[in-house]
């Protein structure tokens, strides 16, 4: 039986590339998504990957969603915590809701998914957790105190959970993408984005497939000695 992977936020952007890359490598993949039914339906039809709707920021919904995936596809052995949102704005304009939502989904989602899937991984003595952090969690970013804090939190979460999983065959790693050609980055005002791209030594935005390749590397059978690490894939923009 092939290993089952859940990719949160898996029907669009970086998550979509992660799903198709893992599927091409022979994993059984489930994509979770929160809102866009139409995109999820198109994704599932086109790529033959099942999509499941739940909010990763909702603890109970994660427990129930992961339970459903394991009943339908098999025990979940790989979790890729990719789901994330931005609510950018400078601190003096940022609302409490903008702070709470980003923390709830981006960081809370990692906790909720790990709570749902880590116990089974421990029992079976094998697991892979890959958390999608961000260059902006490593370096900070103008207009993103919420997002940078949540992503920075993901990097700490990764290192702590890696220590708990190490003796039971469960690795936990992070990828810190730079600016990738997705809808999220396309939402950055054009003059600002131009300034950002000018700071990328490779001279372009990254492709979602370039992040997916890193995820597949960390999920492999042969990656059992890699844990607690952060793989930065950012075109040289930030060398950490
Ligand atoms: N890098 C360099 N300069 C920046 C900047 C950035 N990231 N963000 C803003 N600035 C500059 C602007 O160009 C502007 O400079 P000038 O006055 O010289 O033109 C100045 O700072 C003020 O910016 P705004 O006029 O845009 O200020 P605002 O209050 O209207 O808007 C903002 C603030 C909503 C934060 C807006 O600047 C913005 O959206 N910035 C982009 C933030 C960002 O990078 N988000 C990343 C989203 S993608 C992502 O998060 C994925 C990932 O993991 C990498």
């Amino acid at each position: 039986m092939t290993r089952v992977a859940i990719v949160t936020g898996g029907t669009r952007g970086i998550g979509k590339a992660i799903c198709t890359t893992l599927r091409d490598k022979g994993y059984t993949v489930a994509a979770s998504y929160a809102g866009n039914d139409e995109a999820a339906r198109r994704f599932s039809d086109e790529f033959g990957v099942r999509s499941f709707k739940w909010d990763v920021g909702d603890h109970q919904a994660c427990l129930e969603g992961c339970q459903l995936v394991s009943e339908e596809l098999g025990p979940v052995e790989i979790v890729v915590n990719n789901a994330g949102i931005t609510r950018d704005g400078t601190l003096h304009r940022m609302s409490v809701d903008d702070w709470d939502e980003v923390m709830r989904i981006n960081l809370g989602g990692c906790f909720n998914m790990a709570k749902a899937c880590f116990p089974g991984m421990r029992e079976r003595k094998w697991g892979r957790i890959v958390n999608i952090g961000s260059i902006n969690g490593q370096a900070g970013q103008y207009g993103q105190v919420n997002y940078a804090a949540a992503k920075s939190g993901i990097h700490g979460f990764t290192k702590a959970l890696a220590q708990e999983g190490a003796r039971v065959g469960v690795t936990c790693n992070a990828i810190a993408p730079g600016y990738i050609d997705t809808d999220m980055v396309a939402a950055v005002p054009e003059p600002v984005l131009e300034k950002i791209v000018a700071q990328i030594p490779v001279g372009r935005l990254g492709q979602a497939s370039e992040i997916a390749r890193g995820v597949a590397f960390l999920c492999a059978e042969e990656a059992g000695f890699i844990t607690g690490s952060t793989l930065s894939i950012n075109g040289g923009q930030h060398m950490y």
Side-chain angles (χ1 to χ4, degrees):
M1 209 167 78
T2 64
R3 297 197 186 278
V4 174
I6 296 182
V7 180
T8 67
T11 61
R12 297 191 301 131
I14 292 175
K16 177 175 166 182
I18 295 170
C19 284
T20 56
T21 298
L22 294 182
R23 182 210 57 179
D24 291 349
K25 294 207 171 285
Y27 299 99
T28 300
V29 182
S32 88
Y33 73 101
N36 193 332
D37 293 315
E38 176 53 26
R41 196 188 50 72
R42 262 190 279 116
F43 165 79
S44 289
D45 288 350
E46 188 176 348
F47 298 104
V49 171
R50 295 271 309 274
S51 45
F52 295 81
K53 187 174 185 175
W54 76 81
D55 173 1
V56 295
D58 178 332
H59 187 75
Q60 189 60 30
C62 283
L63 295 178
E64 290 168 11
C66 293
Q67 177 65 30
L68 181 63
V69 171
S70 62
E71 281 164 14
E72 303 215 347
L73 302 179
V76 178
E77 296 187 289
I78 299 170
V79 172
V80 183
N81 284 311
N82 165 75
I85 60 165
T86 51
R87 291 277 189 89
D88 293 353
T90 47
L91 179 72
H92 64 280
R93 291 216 187 95
M94 187 176 288
S95 69
V96 173
D97 187 55
D98 290 339
W99 171 266
D100 286 345
E101 268 305 89
V102 168
M103 295 305 282
R104 187 181 76 83
I105 293 170
N106 296 17
L107 185 55
C110 293
F111 173 79
N112 294 335
M113 289 298 295
K115 281 291 277 183
C117 300
F118 189 68
M121 293 177 179
R122 290 190 66 196
E123 269 167 35
R124 291 184 300 274
K125 304 234 175 313
W126 198 94
R128 298 278 184 264
I129 298 173
V130 181
N131 301 317
I132 305 300
S134 168
I135 186 174
N136 295 347
Q138 296 171 309
Q141 178 58 282
Y142 182 103
Q144 281 201 314
V145 293
N146 50 2
Y147 186 88
K151 291 294 187 180
S152 191
I154 286 179
H155 294 300
F157 176 89
T158 300
K159 291 175 194 172
L161 189 56
Q163 294 180 28
E164 297 184 21
R167 294 203 179 261
V168 288
V170 181
T171 69
C172 184
N173 292 287
I175 291 190
Y179 281 75
I180 308 300
D181 190 6
T182 59
D183 291 347
M184 183 184 273
V185 167
V188 174
E190 206 173 317
V192 175
L193 191 57
E194 274 171 20
K195 282 190 190 171
I196 293 172
V197 174
Q199 293 160 6
I200 304 174
V202 168
R204 62 169 175 85
L205 296 175
Q207 294 301 313
S209 59
E210 294 173 304
I211 303 303
R213 188 159 175 269
V215 173
F217 170 76
L218 293 171
C219 291
E221 297 294 329
E222 302 85 345
F225 202 59
I226 307 174
T227 196
S229 72
T230 298
L231 180 56
S232 297
I233 306 179
N234 61 32
Q237 190 182 351
H238 181 66
M239 302 188 189
Y240 198 62

